[in-house]
């Protein structure tokens, strides 16, 4: 039931864009995105509920394709502060939140 | 300040010696959960609780126990720790399993 994230790792230069994907084999109720910096706790970025919505703040946005049970996280004009591991979390109802294995993003000057 | 507090932050123990990791939240959240994080495996849910006296197994519950006697506290108990339970543990709380989760700072446990 663990969602599948791709790619496993991304290396970028400042200013470049990246897309991280999250897919599930089961019908999703919601998709969460979190970022974890090294040695710290995961921090919430956004939630998308079923309905195919798109959300975003600043240069980070996400979409949720309910038909394909997929979500994508878009990072545009990346900054050094974007470095970290990104996790998607999926819920199939209101009970459990299951996380993917993470995508490690490194941004270099 | 809204927060989830875990203790201890670091713990080294020996095989078989019972231990408890505490977790407390001050946001009046109904939902609390425990995750373990291992390289390459992401965050895997151990147990979760939807409210006081209501707990359920996550994906990797073997070797762990939890209790939820009060809304704010959700301790993780390892009755007989083994080396394969060496990991980084996170407690999280939220209003529901599908809402924004707030994580504690983590507990790095080593079992020798």
């Amino acid at each position: 039931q663990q969602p599948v994230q791709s790619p496993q790792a991304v290396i970028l230069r400042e200013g470049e864009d990246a897309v991280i994907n999250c897919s599930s084999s089961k019908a999703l109720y919601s998709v969460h995105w979190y970022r974890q910096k090294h040695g710290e706790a995961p921090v919430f970025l956004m939630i998308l509920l079923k309905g195919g919505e798109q959300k975003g703040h600043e240069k980070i946005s996400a979409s949720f394709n309910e038909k394909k049970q997929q979500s994508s996280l878009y990072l545009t004009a990346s900054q050094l502060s974007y470095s970290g591991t990104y996790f998607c979390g999926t819920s199939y109802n209101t009970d459990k939140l299951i996380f993917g294995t993470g995508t490690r993003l490194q941004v270099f000057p | 300040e809204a927060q989830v507090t875990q203790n201890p932050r670091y713990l080294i123990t020996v095989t078989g010696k019972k231990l408890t990791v505490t977790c407390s939240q001050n946001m009046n959240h109904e939902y609390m959960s425990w995750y373990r994080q291992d390289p390459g495996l992401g965050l895997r849910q151990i147990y979760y609780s939807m409210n006081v006296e209501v707990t359920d197994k996550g994906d990797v519950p073997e070797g762990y126990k939890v209790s939820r006697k009060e809304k704010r506290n959700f301790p993780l108990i390892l009755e007989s720790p083994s080396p394969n339970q060496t990991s980084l543990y996170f407690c999280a709380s939220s209003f529901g399993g599908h809402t924004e989760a707030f994580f504690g700072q983590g507990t790095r446990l080593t079992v020798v």
Side-chain angles (χ1 to χ4, degrees):
Chain A
Q1 290 188 0
Q2 193 172 25
V4 178
Q5 282 187 241
S6 63
Q8 290 186 324
V10 182
I11 298 175
L12 298 173
R13 293 273 183 202
E14 263 188 305
E16 292 181 337
D17 301 340
V19 180
I20 300 172
N21 299 303
C22 175
S23 64
S24 171
S25 57
K26 288 179 62 174
L28 294 172
Y29 181 83
S30 66
V31 178
H32 300 216
W33 286 98
Y34 291 78
R35 177 171 63 205
Q36 182 182 32
K37 292 189 177 288
H38 184 70
E40 298 180 7
V43 174
F44 172 80
L45 293 176
M46 65 189 78
I47 290 177
L48 301 98
L49 300 176
K50 66 177 182 179
E53 66 179 288
Q54 185 151 355
K55 276 196 173 182
H57 61 91
E58 296 182 348
K59 295 175 182 176
I60 300 176
S61 62
S63 63
F64 179 17
N65 186 323
E66 190 179 344
K67 286 184 180 178
K68 293 185 177 180
Q69 305 306 325
Q70 290 178 349
S71 178
S72 295
L73 184 72
Y74 306 95
L75 301 104
T76 57
S78 58
Q79 306 167 14
L80 295 176
S81 62
Y82 286 5
S83 293
T85 301
Y86 289 77
F87 290 99
C88 73
T90 54
S91 66
Y92 308 105
N93 49 43
T94 58
D95 288 354
K96 297 175 64 172
L97 183 61
I98 309 296
F99 286 95
T101 54
T103 295
R104 188 171 181 181
L105 180 77
Q106 290 181 282
V107 182
F108 291 96
Chain B
E1 180 189 354
Q3 59 185 4
V4 179
T5 304
Q6 287 180 235
N7 279 297
R9 292 287 310 277
Y10 302 91
L11 179 60
I12 301 175
T13 190
V14 296
T15 300
K17 185 176 181 182
K18 181 179 178 179
L19 65 91
T20 299
V21 183
T22 63
C23 175
S24 180
Q25 52 93 5
N26 62 1
M27 293 169 278
N28 202 34
H29 286 160
E30 284 82 20
Y31 188 94
M32 297 185 75
S33 57
W34 278 101
Y35 295 88
R36 62 177 288 175
Q37 185 174 20
D38 303 289
L41 298 178
L43 292 155
R44 293 181 294 167
Q45 193 177 55
I46 302 170
Y47 269 94
Y48 64 98
S49 169
M50 297 186 71
N51 215 325
V52 175
E53 302 293 0
V54 180
T55 62
D56 208 345
K57 296 177 181 179
D59 294 321
V60 288
E62 294 77 21
Y64 305 95
K65 284 176 59 177
V66 292
S67 70
R68 188 90 182 273
K69 292 182 169 53
E70 303 167 283
K71 197 172 189 179
R72 62 182 294 127
N73 296 323
F74 190 45
L76 179 69
I77 303 157
L78 285 74
E79 293 269 3
S80 183
S82 62
N84 64 12
Q85 293 178 298
T86 292
S87 187
L88 177 60
Y89 292 85
F90 285 102
C91 176
S93 75
S94 60
F95 285 113
H98 61 296
T99 60
E100 175 185 352
F102 294 81
F103 284 83
Q105 287 305 299
T107 296
R108 186 165 292 281
L109 172 67
T110 302
V111 184
V112 298

